[in-house]
Amino acid sequence: MLNKVEYWLDLCDEDIITVNCLLNGNRLLPAAYFCHQITEKALKAVVSSVSKEIPPRTHDLTRLAKLGGIDKQLTDEQKLFLNNIARYQIEARYPEHKAEIAKFLTAEKCKQYLIETEDFLCWIKKLLDR
């Protein structure tokens, strides 16, 4: 069986494929949701690397960065990305927010989220020597 770090990173790679399929089908809200999932799983790989344990069941990206000890290494752009993508985990799942978020999520914005997600994942992999 793969170690915990590889487990999370493999899930990230699989989810990148999913985001591309969703974008090709113009399924923007689910694509943004999966960008959050990739980011969360990348951070959970870091937490697993540091703690040698299964990360906590949280979707809080800032908390995961702190638990992984990388919160101080984040650039301002990365912090902004984490803040922006976080809304697609919770708010996009509830009807009172879903329609409002969907109005402002364009294909271009979603493609930009994917680029930022892939950049963040590459950065995490470099940190973890993967």
Side-chain angles (χ1 to χ4, degrees):
M1 182 172 166
L2 295 173
N3 71 39
K4 292 174 187 77
V5 174
E6 293 304 320
Y7 168 80
W8 291 111
L9 294 177
D10 284 350
L11 289 176
C12 291
D13 292 338
E14 290 175 18
D15 287 350
I16 292 283
I17 295 167
T18 300
V19 173
N20 280 301
C21 290
L22 290 166
L23 285 174
N24 287 336
N26 204 36
R27 306 272 299 140
L28 303 181
L29 205 49
Y33 169 80
F34 269 91
C35 285
H36 177 281
Q37 289 295 292
I38 294 162
T39 306
E40 179 182 321
K41 291 169 186 173
L43 289 167
K44 287 183 176 185
V46 173
V47 173
S48 293
S49 176
V50 170
S51 71
K52 309 295 187 231
E53 299 292 329
I54 296 172
R57 294 180 185 209
T58 182
H59 307 295
D60 185 333
L61 303 177
T62 303
R63 180 173 177 227
L64 289 168
K66 285 180 185 175
L67 289 172
I70 63 167
D71 54 314
K72 302 284 193 270
Q73 297 174 49
L74 296 171
T75 65
D76 289 340
E77 291 81 13
Q78 288 170 325
K79 290 175 188 174
L80 181 61
F81 166 68
L82 294 182
N83 185 56
N84 287 338
I85 205 68
R87 68 187 334 196
Y88 296 100
Q89 169 57 30
I90 302 298
E91 293 177 21
R93 292 175 27 185
Y94 294 95
E96 64 269 21
H97 301 290
K98 187 175 181 177
E100 190 66 25
I101 290 173
K103 276 197 281 188
F104 297 103
L105 186 61
T106 64
E108 292 75 28
K109 184 174 206 117
C110 206
K111 288 175 186 172
Q112 182 61 36
Y113 281 144
L114 177 56
I115 290 167
E116 292 176 64
T117 300
E118 290 175 318
D119 288 348
F120 188 78
L121 178 58
C122 286
W123 180 72
I124 292 291
K125 286 180 176 181
K126 283 181 186 175
L127 284 178
L128 297 173
D129 289 325
R130 300 298 198 277

